[in-house]
Amino acid sequence: MHALTVDWIPNGQIGVMSLLRPLLLDVVPTIQQTAALALGRLANYNDDLAEAVVKGDILPQLVYSLAEQNRFYKKAAAFVLRAVGKHSPQLAQAIVDCGALDTLVICLEDFDPGVKEAAAWALGYIARHNAELSQAVVDAGAVPLLVLCIQEPEIALKRIAASTLSDISKHSPELAQTVVDAGAIAHLAQMILSPDAKLKRQILSALSQIAKHSVDLAEMVVEAEIFPVVLTCLKDKDDYVKKNASTLIREIAKHTPELAQLIVNAGGVAAVIDCVGSCRGNIRLPGIMMLGYVAAHSENLAMAVIISKGVPQLSICLSEEPEDHIKAAAAWALGQIGRHTPEHARAVAVTNTLPVLLSLYMSPESSEDLQVKSKKAIKSILQKCTYLPALEPFLYDAPPNILKHVVGQFSKVLPHDSKARRLFVTSGGLKKVQEIKAEPGSLLQEYINSINNCYPEEIVRYYSPGYSDTLLQRVDSYQPIIN
Amino acid sequence: MATLARLQARSSFVGKQYYYRNRYLHRITTIIQKWWRSYLGKKEFRHVVQVAHYTMKMNLYNEMAVKIQRRWRGYKIRKYCFNYYYLKEYLRAISETNDAIREALEEFAEMKEREEKKANLEKEEKQRDYQARKMHYLLSTKQIPGIYNSPFRQAPDPWELRLQKAKPLIHPRPKVRQECSTSLSDWLACTSARSFPRSDILPPINKKKCQGPFRDFNEVLEQRYKPLEPTLRVAEPINQLKLAREELKREECAQNVNDKMFFPFSSYHKKEKYTPSIHSSSKYGSDSYGEKQFRSENPKKWICDKDFQTVLPSFDLFSKYGKLYSRAGQIV
């Protein structure tokens, strides 16, 4: 039976199901187990076969004998249920409809850890698809048993139970609250210190799915004293542990300024920045978003991000990452940092990120999302930026809608600062401003006028375009005084 | 005429009287009006002065109040709403905490690396020791220099020294091999006092028959040295079935080219150790508990290495075939 190569099965799949089905009822237990195992492997391979398993009315038989047989049969039957339930929500609903959930929950109480693992795995795959299926799993009473499973000594069982709790709590706040009410958080928080990398992945994922829904849940997760232990997970060798740890910190930081303050006070920002620096690709994304969320709450927190050396790291991410969505996230985060006060805008502008943002906005290859986010970031930073050396390149390259803001900033700063005025003239900025064509009466024209009013008329005339032509015309039309 | 003159004189006199009286009245009225007007004017003036005084006072108070409010507002903003020095202090504390956390995390990462390296080194050391023990026979002797101790080298290879230090590896014999290989024929060789002494010298053939009602000597010898007729039960060892199976297995094993079953070739290059789920790491097939035997087993608590053996007793029926009745009766 195990020698069946699965590839040629679809041709004869109805036949195979009708062959295997009576074997499930065989007298010899070994044959039953092997038949169940074969069904599981077939269903695991692709979803057409899983549908055939469902259509062949095999599930009620499996569920019925699941309650009575020995542990090998239970393991094999749970494997079949898992294999069928993982493909699509409709198949998972078919499993729920034939009453498998109650028997799976009974299996969770079995002595053998292998049976528990198989049952928990099947429940996890069912609950993964959507909120109704998760609710059905919770209604069957699985959650307290899963919390007991987490406390078992076998690592594989802990992993699977944690992943199932994560799948249950990810859909809605009520489900997450159910998981929390069963006392899961304390046990999950204890196991963050375990040395097994895959277990840590699942634990961190479960905690972040719980914390993401509301402020209360996030506060409960924080009260379990995960800081500063979670920060050590950011230094783990395994990439996905780092990713899940930064996801957890992001989900906590995004709710309120107080929670973000807590994370900042615990030194979380520095740890996340180091983590972002040491990863590449998609692993970085939650860390970048976390910095954006923290900076968005208030200017003090944004200043804290700046002094933790977050801005150089973000600009490195912006320039070296190939994927557009990560660049978009970095642009958004920089916008959140720089939009508060001129100090913040200066800190962002000093690192020379504004030209990069401009080029991303202008490039036709960037996705729409990236363009929108970089435009917003540029606008919000420019509206507060008084650091003129960073603004000058914008006079040359920027499109008209951004040029308006740049010239506006110049018009606000130049009247008050004489050194800046001198620098503006000597660097050729005044010349460029004269060359800008604006409709009379528009905002741009007003700004240009206010800049021109800062300078004596001769200089303005000197730099206005076509001045050399007018001078030559005057030479042409001049009557020399002949004595 | 006189009247006219008198009238004229009278009228001028009266006129003058009236004139003087008017003047007098006017003068008095003026004085009264003057005093009244001065009274009104002074009242007005007093009022104006009061108003001016009041305004001056209020201006002064307002200015003083503004001074106080100014100072208070500055203090309030600087102390309670946006305390610049507090913010600076806070940011400094944050950066210190960040540095501390960064250091702590670096240490943690270093510690983990060190532990890993140490574990790797120990593993390698163990492996090399095991190799040295296995290759112990390559040690050089006085007569023949070993492969690691070439005479053309100045100093022996480090492996040579390792081989010298290593204890030779003896594959542990499975302790269950203590079979008593006594076969049944050895019963006859036993020399305890209770059995018949067996000498190498056969008795003489033509010995004179002893007088008396003695049986035939040959018969006696036959009876004395009758070979043991074991029952079927004793004739074969108890675990004969198991022995036969193992014999078969050994024969088949001898025909195998490679002893390792299911050598993974597709994952051969992968170094990662695969941690299986419980489902796939536990033994396939049913457990004997509950079906074949009903004792709970804990091999760690066993005193000796052997488990209880199941023994099927054999039939006595066939062993007694032909021996149930004596020859005398000749029935069977």
Side-chain angles (χ1 to χ4, degrees), chain B residues 58-73:
Chain B
M58 287 316 290
N59 282 347
L60 182 71
Y61 291 161
N62 283 347
E63 262 178 43
M64 295 301 117
V66 165
K67 274 198 187 158
I68 295 174
Q69 284 170 357
R70 181 164 57 211
R71 299 282 264 189
W72 162 251
R73 281 199 193 109

Side-chain angles (χ1 to χ4, degrees), chain B residues 72-90:
Chain B
W72 162 251
R73 281 199 193 109
Y75 174 78
K76 184 180 90 159
I77 296 277
R78 276 185 223 108
K79 185 142 172 125
Y80 297 114
C81 301
F82 174 68
N83 192 340
Y84 175 72
Y85 294 102
Y86 181 75
L87 180 72
K88 266 254 164 345
E89 193 55 40
Y90 171 71

